[in-house]
Amino acid sequence: MSSPLSVVPKLRMSKPDWLASPKVFRTEVLAGLVVALALIPEAISFSIIAGVDPAVGLFASFTMAVVISIVGGRKAMISAATGAIALVIAPLNHEYGLGYLIAAVILGGIIQIVLGALGVAKLMRFVPRSVMVGFVNALAILIFMAQVPEMRDVPWAVYPLIAGGLALMIFFPKVTTVIPAPLVSIVILTVITVAAGIAVPNVGDKGDLPSSLPVPGLPDVPFTMDTLTTIAPYALAFALVGLMESLMTAKLVDDITDTHSNKTRESIGQGIANIVTGFFGGMGGCAMIGQTMINVKTSGARTRLSTFLAGVFLMVLVVVFGPVVSTIPMAALVAVMILVSMATFDWHSIQPKTLKRMPVGETTVMVVTVAAVVATHNLAIGVVLGSITAMVIFAKRVAHLAEVSGVVDPDGKQVVYAVTGELFFASSNDLVYQFNYKDDPDDVVIDLTDAHIWDASSVAALDAIETKYAQRGKKVTIVGLNEPSAEMHDKLAGRLTAGH
């Protein structure tokens, strides 16, 4: 007789993907270390932009990376303090102080959770490929531009160090890929500058590193309606910019890794990570494209472990090994970011043969996206303007797809107009002018079998056509409506003008 326990299904715990093999585990650990090193100067720089202490940016990068590695929807993507977020919240900090900034970060996280739950991630399907290409190219340009200040008015030794770092990262993988080339480059350049006593800018010059871990607490603000109305506009802008950058970056990583990610989970995860970050005194953040490219494209990471360890290593490096990390020459990190920018840029998109083959409208959308991002240093603005440009071009293109052809019966008593195409606000504007109101017979039939009514503008255009014929004592009969078109026409026909 079988035991009662034998009928109970056995629970199978799936092994984490980062334990698939020692090679995968090693890749994830080393990738996390490289990203952590690259995060330090970036977090400090963004703290300066926001007008806060460097510890605020470093704590944000730590908590964002650790939390999003657990609750996020895109494996191996790095979230931390970013320049776009710093620009959004800087005015609030300058005018009201750090407490209000932290409160805005927490409220922004709540808004992100709400937007994620409402399905804001589904809007990504409306972002055209040309906007995505422009986003990637603009991102590469911004990453490179961010390195330019580190190469201006610096000792001459910086330039050979950068060149040497690039050479190491290009040629070292030909020897072995066991250790990430960026990590090798950073270590070798640091050893050279310290051993030779070369005086060049280093990480320590960016600001003091924290000596202790962050502790949770509430923002130092009065919990009143005035506070809410003050922080709400900044929190909304924070939430929208953060989600847009994160979802665009997630889509980019999807393409690079040929895998799918849960964008709704990512949206909600960003909100959770920002709430946690706010309670730990961080300045908030979102997905970081540069560090994500280091993690995914340069280091080959593919799991959540690299994201988690990037945050953990970041705190270990600044708290425990702060004096050592401070000696890393900025030239080493600049070289890493330059290589990342070169690898990120879609060089195929600007090749003459590609531009010659690509429709002018697609190229225009890409250029608008790049120009807007580079001009504003805001990826969200570029994506919005690029998408709007794409929609305008698309609307203009399909506006002329509605065609009207009329055939008069041999006896001259009836004319049948066949309308073909999609009827919406752009295409229906010209519809009214394609009928011969004066010379047509008294019986007019408009056949919409090969057309579809999409909006009220099209119904209003049909009303106008009927009115023009009625003014001449002629009758109009509309036939061939499909079910959705008939439903919309029956609901709105004759009711779109004053008095109805």
Side-chain angles (χ1 to χ4, degrees), residues 52-356:
V52 297
D53 188 82
V56 177
L58 289 166
F59 289 161
S61 295
F62 162 60
T63 52
M64 286 293 299
V66 169
V67 175
I68 205 66
S69 70
I70 300 169
V71 301
R74 173 63 259 177
K75 295 179 181 179
M77 190 166 76
I78 305 296
S79 290
T82 62
I85 295 298
L87 289 171
V88 169
I89 59 179
L92 180 63
N93 179 64
H94 293 321
E95 188 170 351
Y96 294 97
L98 180 61
Y100 281 81
L101 182 153
I102 300 301
V105 169
I106 296 173
L107 179 59
I110 294 172
I111 293 173
Q112 287 179 328
I113 292 176
V114 173
L115 291 175
L118 291 175
V120 70
K122 295 178 181 178
L123 295 176
M124 286 300 297
R125 71 182 68 178
F126 297 107
V127 178
R129 180 187 177 279
S130 51
V131 172
M132 192 67 194
V133 173
F135 169 82
V136 170
N137 290 346
L139 206 46
I141 294 171
L142 287 186
I143 292 172
F144 181 81
M145 289 175 62
Q147 312 315 310
V148 173
E150 304 296 338
M151 297 184 285
R152 188 184 296 141
D153 300 324
V154 293
W156 68 268
V158 167
Y159 304 111
L161 285 172
I162 293 175
L166 288 170
L168 278 169
M169 288 184 287
I170 292 172
F171 294 109
F172 186 79
K174 300 181 185 302
V175 178
T176 179
T177 56
V178 173
I179 304 175
L183 180 59
V184 174
S185 176
I186 292 170
V187 171
I188 290 178
L189 293 186
T190 303
V191 171
I192 290 173
T193 54
V194 172
I198 302 173
V200 291
N202 56 34
V203 172
D205 296 329
K206 288 290 183 180
D208 294 330
L209 302 180
S211 56
S212 61
L213 294 173
V215 292
L218 294 174
D220 184 18
V221 294
F223 293 91
T224 63
M225 187 57 66
D226 286 341
T227 299
L228 181 61
T229 55
T230 298
I231 66 174
Y234 295 95
L236 179 60
F238 170 97
L240 293 175
V241 170
L243 281 182
M244 187 169 294
E245 291 210 22
S246 298
L247 292 175
M248 291 293 288
T249 304
K251 190 173 186 299
L252 177 60
V253 177
D254 288 353
D255 294 339
I256 292 173
T257 60
D258 196 24
T259 57
H260 178 70
S261 60
N262 188 328
K263 305 298 187 302
T264 297
R265 177 177 173 178
E266 182 61 37
S267 302
I268 296 173
Q270 287 288 328
I272 295 172
N274 274 306
I275 292 173
V276 173
T277 296
F279 282 121
F280 276 89
M283 59 182 276
C286 62
M288 291 192 79
I289 184 66
Q291 275 65 21
T292 297
M293 289 300 99
I294 292 175
N295 196 46
V296 174
K297 208 165 187 178
T298 308
S299 302
R302 293 292 183 272
T303 77
R304 298 180 184 276
L305 181 63
S306 57
T307 306
F308 177 82
L309 290 180
V312 173
F313 284 150
L314 172 65
M315 276 294 99
V316 172
L317 287 170
V318 298
V319 174
V320 180
F321 300 102
V324 176
V325 172
S326 296
T327 63
I328 295 175
M330 286 302 301
L333 299 174
V334 168
V336 172
M337 298 310 292
I338 289 176
L339 191 66
V340 167
S341 70
M342 293 173 62
T344 302
F345 196 91
D346 186 352
W347 298 101
H348 175 73
S349 67
I350 61 171
Q351 290 179 359
K353 62 180 181 180
T354 303
L355 295 174
K356 186 177 180 180

